[in-house]
Structures are given as C-alpha cells and as structure tokens.
C-alpha cells in the first residue's frame, strides 16, 4: 500500500559505520538545502541501524527532497528515501499538542512495563537475594533476649560486565524508594531507582556504564543500618 505524503521522510540504507552524531550532520547538510529541518532522528541500535527520519515544516518541502535525493550517495552508500508511515513527534507537538502528550504518556507506560519485565528476568535468572522475610510480631518472641548481631559487610561483588544499571542487594526490609534516591541522586547521570516488591533488592539506572561504575565504586558497602551494608553489582545483561 502506498504511503501518503507527509512532512517526515524515512531514510534507509545509511552507512552503519558512521557515528550517529556525524551522520546527523551529513543528513542536515543534504536535506536542509530544500527547506528548514525541524528534527533529525538517527540512533545506533540493533533495530534502527542504517535508518533515519527527517522532519520538515510542510509536505511540499518533504516531497521535493524525496524526489531529488532518492538514490543519492551519502557516505559512499546510495540511500532510499520514503515518506514515513507515522506522524513524527515534532509535527504532532505543533499540530495536536493533546495527542502528543498522550503519545508520550503511552510511551512512558510502555517503557515502565519493559523495565519491570527486564527486572523480573534478572531476578528469575538467580542474581537476586531471596524474598525479604516478614518480621515476627509474636509477643513471646519479642520478649526473648536478642543476641547482638555482628556487623557484616556485603559479600564480594559479581563479575558481571559493566552495565548502566546497578543491582542493589542486602537492603533492609524497611528501605524506601526515597532513601535510595537520596543515596544515588548526587551521582552524575542518575536516572531512577526501582525497588522490587517482596525482595530486598533494587535496580538503579544511570545514563551510561561509566557513570554507574562511579556510583558503584562510591556506594558499595555503604552502611544502610546497624550492621547492614549495601551490596552493589552490575545487573545482568
């Protein structure tokens, strides 16, 4: 089925060896000759390799660029130019702000679900501590003389390769999300912390592996409570 003309062009067969930042510059130089470019989407991921999207202010400009640059040699490869199937964020934000906000909300929800599934996968693969035990409230138990617990530091971290997501174990049963955020938010690149219900573990996400490594080095074996120390490792990939 033929795709109707849009303000957004879909580019295929880009040279995958060129870094996305450099490719954006090359694309801008080529496509801005036809009119103002609102946005260029070009990322390096397994699903999006060799692809990009160019957003113009109007359909006529996009149509002219498509006609002139079809088969154009860009970084030693002949590119394929088509109209995009969907309306781009940049266009939707201008034409229909309400629908744009709804799209962002749905995208956040989808991202949240994917992260929850990934956290569950890591736990099921055995990198998590057992579920936190509930405190016993039996009166006779509470009256027993409690033996002092010797402080124990976290065991050696695993040999997992660097990951932008850290895996926190040995958390107190009463740890809160606010407490975790207070620990990690002062480190550059911190994005979010996610406690796993029913387990004394959490996942802490940073922008990249270098920034998560810095936080890991600074907070591993950090005291959380009397005799309880934070155990940080890289999450399994």
């Amino acid at each position: 089925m033929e795709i109707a003309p849009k303000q957004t062009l879909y580019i295929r067969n880009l040279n995958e060896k060129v870094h996305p930042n450099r490719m954006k510059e090359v694309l801008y130089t080529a496509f801005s000759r036809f009119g103002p470019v609102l946005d260029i989407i070009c990322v390096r991921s397994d699903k999006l390799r060799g692809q990009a999207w160019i957003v113009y202010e109007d359909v006529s400009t996009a149509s002219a660029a498509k006609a002139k640059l079809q088969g154009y040699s860009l970084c030693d490869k002949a590119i394929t130019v088509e109209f995009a199937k969907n309306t781009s964020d940049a266009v939707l934000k201008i034409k229909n702000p309400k629908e744009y906000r709804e799209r962002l909300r749905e995208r956040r929800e989808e991202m949240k679900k994917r992260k929850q599934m990934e956290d569950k996968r890591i736990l099921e693969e055995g990198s998590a501590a057992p579920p936190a035990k509930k405190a016993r409230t039996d009166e006779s138990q509470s009256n027993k003389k409690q033996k002092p617990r010797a402080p124990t530091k976290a065991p050696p971290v695993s040999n997992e390769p660097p990951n932008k997501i850290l895996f926190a174990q040995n958390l107190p049963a009463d740890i809160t999300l606010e407490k975790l955020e207070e620990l990690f938010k002062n480190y550059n690149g911190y994005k979010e912390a996610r406690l796993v219900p029913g387990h004394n573990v959490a996942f802490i996400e940073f922008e990249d592996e270098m920034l998560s490594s810095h936080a890991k080095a600074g907070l591993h074996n950090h005291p959380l409570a009397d005799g309880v120390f934070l155990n940080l490792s890289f999450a399994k990939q």
Side-chain angles (χ1 to χ4, degrees):
M1 184 177 66
E2 188 175 351
I3 301 172
K6 290 186 180 67
Q7 293 164 254
T8 304
L9 297 176
Y10 170 54
I11 318 301
R12 292 189 293 114
N13 201 41
L14 293 173
N15 192 327
E16 298 177 12
K17 295 180 180 180
V18 180
H19 191 278
N21 291 340
R22 173 57 183 157
M23 182 56 74
K24 281 185 178 181
E25 295 175 356
V26 174
L27 287 168
Y28 182 82
T29 300
F31 284 84
S32 62
R33 291 182 293 152
F34 301 90
V37 173
L38 297 181
D39 196 13
I40 298 178
I41 298 93
C42 180
V43 296
R44 178 178 288 176
S45 70
D46 291 340
K47 292 183 178 180
L48 301 178
R49 285 182 180 276
Q51 304 170 69
W53 286 261
I54 312 292
V55 186
Y56 284 106
E57 288 183 340
D58 53 64
V59 176
S60 60
T61 305
S63 298
K66 177 178 180 293
K68 290 290 185 179
L69 294 178
Q70 188 68 261
Y72 182 73
S73 181
L74 209 62
C75 297
D76 301 322
K77 292 194 73 173
I79 61 173
T80 300
V81 185
E82 303 169 358
F83 290 114
K85 292 181 180 179
N86 301 313
T87 304
S88 70
D89 286 352
V91 173
L92 193 62
K93 187 176 182 179
I94 296 171
K95 289 191 169 183
N96 194 332
K98 184 178 179 180
E99 187 177 341
Y100 171 72
R101 290 193 295 271
E102 180 62 19
R103 177 186 284 186
L104 293 184
R105 187 194 66 78
E106 292 176 354
R107 197 174 290 164
R108 285 194 295 268
E109 286 296 315
E110 182 63 29
M111 178 64 70
K112 183 179 178 181
K113 289 179 182 178
R114 285 204 300 268
K115 288 182 177 180
Q116 288 174 341
M117 291 177 63
E118 180 65 12
D119 293 348
K120 183 179 178 182
R121 178 189 68 79
I122 295 172
L123 288 173
E124 290 175 346
E125 288 181 355
S127 64
K133 294 181 179 179
K134 293 181 178 180
R136 297 187 64 177
T137 57
D138 186 88
E139 185 177 351
S140 61
Q141 183 71 18
S142 63
N143 289 332
K144 288 184 178 180
K145 186 177 180 180
Q146 299 293 325
K147 292 183 180 180
R149 183 176 59 179
T152 55
K153 288 199 172 184
V157 296
S158 67
N159 293 321
E160 291 294 330
N163 189 343
K164 68 178 182 178
I165 300 175
L166 297 178
F167 181 55
Q169 302 182 76
N170 207 36
L171 301 177
D174 60 351
I175 192 75
T176 63
L177 186 60
E178 290 74 19
K179 174 66 175 176
L180 279 176
E181 289 177 337
E182 196 68 29
L183 283 174
F184 289 93
K185 71 180 183 180
N186 293 324
Y187 284 86
N188 290 335
Y190 169 76
K191 294 181 69 174
E192 66 172 348
R194 303 188 296 274
L195 278 170
V196 181
H199 293 264
N200 53 342
V201 299
F203 294 91
I204 297 91
E205 186 170 347
F206 285 82
E207 291 178 1
D208 58 43
E209 293 87 348
M210 184 177 70
L211 296 172
S212 66
S213 298
H214 180 59
K216 175 175 171 286
L219 289 175
H220 179 63
N221 271 328
H222 178 82
L224 296 174
D226 185 25
V228 180
F229 296 85
L230 179 61
N231 180 357
L232 282 176
S233 58
F234 294 115
K236 286 186 175 180
Q237 299 192 46

